[in-house]
Every structure is written in structure tokens, then in C-alpha cells.
Amino acid sequence: MEKVNPGTSDYFSKTLDEISRNIAADFFLDDILKLIAFAAVKVTGVDICSLWLFHEPSDRVLRLAATQSIDRTCIKKPTLSINEGVVGHVAATKDLMAIRKLLEEPRFKEREMAVRLSLMSMLSIPMLTGQNEVVGVVNCYTREERDFTEADISLLKGVACQATSAFTKAEHMVRARLIKEELKTRKIIEQAKNIIMKKKGLSRDKAFHWIQEKSLETCNSMRKTAEAILIAEILQCEVK
């Protein structure tokens, strides 16, 4: 990877490119998100970063998806409704919140966590797609009171933008793999159904129900049951 200086948007972009090459191909979305949080800390100089995400665009609940150093047991509510707390407010308004005195902010929910980890200030930024849809929120915390400058905000907006891009790309890859697997499963079941139709003289619907009943009897998935039928056909075994 080409060397770039930490503390710049280029550094973050190069880091995410490296993440994509080494991890995205294997669909480890959780690992990608954790590395985004880690890279965000490196590039911004904050102490802690966490990512909250909607699972679906229509979802009204944000879930803690990744954190670079916060012990999840410190966070009492790993989910937040839209408009709930700082995170929910930022997601609902699509606008950032820069908080100098965290414990004095009435919307902030995790006061116990802030005290335990000595967190003083916070910058919360929405993760927006090109269509201005919110997919999540990036939170950055500092252990010293901090007035976030325009330069800080600009850099962290870049982080949120890059994180959104990495997340949506990985999400699309995961969905593509799931669709591919679903199509493969349907093909296997269809092949098994044709064998049952031929062997037992059943109609297409009845052959499907036969496989379904066998799946329930053996406590196996439809795909595993269908695969067993295909193997039995290859080995010229009787399908019972």
C-alpha cells in the first residue's frame, strides 16, 4: 500500500482501500466495520470511535455495529430508536452534533459509560448516502474537553463519507452472495424434485411436499435434504 501520512483523509481512504482488498472479498462485514472505527481514530486523533447502523433503510432502530475500544458491556442500550439520544437525534435530523461538555448534554444516554471511560467531548456525524439516506451514525469521543474546529468537522465528515461507502459496498456484496446462494439452493431443490417425480410418480407440487416432509422428519434444511436425494441418485441408492 502506498505510504501516506496519518491524520489525513488520504490516509483514511488508503486504509479503507486496503481493508476492502483484504476483507470485503470474504464478506466479513463486522471486521470491516471494526477496522473503519480503528482507522477513524487514527486519522482524527480522537480517543474512541463507534458506529451505529440501520440494518435496513426502512428500519427505525439503530444498532451498535462496531466500536474500536468501548467494551460493549459498558453500553446499557445497544439499540436506539430514531430520535432517541444523541445518535437517534443525529440520524433523524441528518445533522451533526458537536458537544463540548458531554455530561451536560440532556440527549446523551450513556452517562455511566462516559464517567467510567472519562469521556468529556463528543462529535456525532450522520452517515449519508449519495441519495441523502441515513445508513448510520459515526460517534467520536475525546477524554479532554474539545471544541471541534471546522477542520475537525470537515475531516470527520470525510470519515463518515468513506465509512458509508465502505459499508454500502460490503453490504451489497453480502446481499449478492446471499442471492447467489439462494439461487443455488433453489436449483438443488428443483433437481431433487425432478428425481422424486420420476422415482415415485408424483406431481411437481407433491414432490416438493415430499421433500418438505422429509426435511421436517430428519430436522435438516430443505437444501440438505435435496442434496441427500442427489447423492442417493448418483450412488444409485433407493430414495426412501
Side-chain angles (χ1 to χ4, degrees):
M1 183 171 64
E2 179 187 347
K3 289 186 177 180
V4 290
N5 294 326
T8 66
S9 57
D10 282 344
Y11 172 83
F12 190 76
S13 180
K14 294 288 184 181
T15 300
L16 287 184
D17 286 344
E18 189 71 9
I19 290 168
S20 296
R21 282 194 294 271
N22 291 310
I23 297 178
D26 293 324
F27 306 101
F28 297 145
L29 185 55
D30 287 347
D31 290 331
I32 292 172
L33 296 175
K34 287 174 185 175
L35 281 170
I36 288 172
F38 177 79
V41 168
K42 288 292 185 184
V43 76
T44 61
V46 298
D47 294 299
I48 290 173
C49 179
S50 63
L51 280 73
W52 294 72
L53 299 173
F54 292 115
H55 280 195
E56 297 291 340
S58 59
D59 201 351
R60 304 293 289 177
V61 177
L62 287 145
R63 294 167 177 81
L64 179 62
T67 177
Q68 143 271 349
S69 67
I70 301 174
D71 185 344
R72 287 172 183 263
T73 60
C74 292
I75 299 175
K76 290 184 178 179
K77 281 198 73 176
T79 62
L80 291 168
S81 301
I82 192 80
N83 248 325
E84 183 182 4
V86 171
V87 173
H89 178 75
V90 168
T93 61
K94 300 181 182 179
D95 198 9
L96 64 86
M97 279 190 72
I99 306 166
R100 178 181 173 84
K101 294 181 183 291
L102 191 56
L103 294 178
E104 294 180 10
E105 170 53 51
R107 286 194 178 92
F108 184 64
K109 293 285 186 180
E110 298 295 338
R111 298 179 183 281
E112 185 179 323
M113 176 196 75
V115 171
R116 186 184 303 184
L117 300 176
S118 301
L119 304 180
M120 302 298 290
S121 299
M122 174 185 185
L123 181 58
S124 188
I125 295 182
M127 294 169 60
L128 299 172
T129 67
Q131 293 72 44
N132 203 39
E133 291 181 347
V134 180
V135 298
V137 175
V138 176
N139 287 336
C140 292
Y141 302 90
T142 62
R143 292 192 172 97
E144 293 182 356
E145 281 194 14
R146 181 165 169 179
D147 287 316
F148 292 98
T149 65
E150 288 298 320
D152 291 332
I153 291 170
S154 177
L155 185 57
L156 287 166
K157 279 184 176 179
V159 167
C161 181
Q162 293 285 356
T164 302
S165 176
F167 167 67
T168 53
K169 178 183 176 182
E171 188 180 50
H172 290 157
M173 292 176 73
V174 170
R175 288 181 178 177
R177 189 185 73 164
L178 291 175
I179 290 170
K180 184 177 179 180
E181 285 298 311
E182 176 64 22
L183 290 174
K184 187 175 180 180
T185 295
R186 290 184 182 183
K187 183 177 180 180
I188 291 170
I189 292 173
E190 187 65 25
Q191 290 172 335
K193 194 162 56 176
N194 289 335
I195 292 171
I196 297 302
M197 287 169 62
K198 180 180 177 181
K199 294 282 187 182
K200 298 189 175 292
L202 300 175
S203 67
R204 186 169 296 276
D205 286 345
K206 287 185 178 179
F208 179 81
H209 289 307
W210 189 93
I211 297 171
Q212 200 172 44
E213 287 173 3
K214 284 295 177 184
S215 174
L216 292 172
E217 285 176 15
T218 57
C219 296
N220 286 323
S221 65
M222 286 283 285
R223 176 166 173 164
K224 283 189 175 180
T225 303
E227 287 173 342
I229 293 169
L230 296 183
I231 291 170
E233 177 67 8
I234 291 170
L235 298 176
Q236 296 295 310
C237 298
E238 183 182 354
V239 179
K240 297 182 180 180

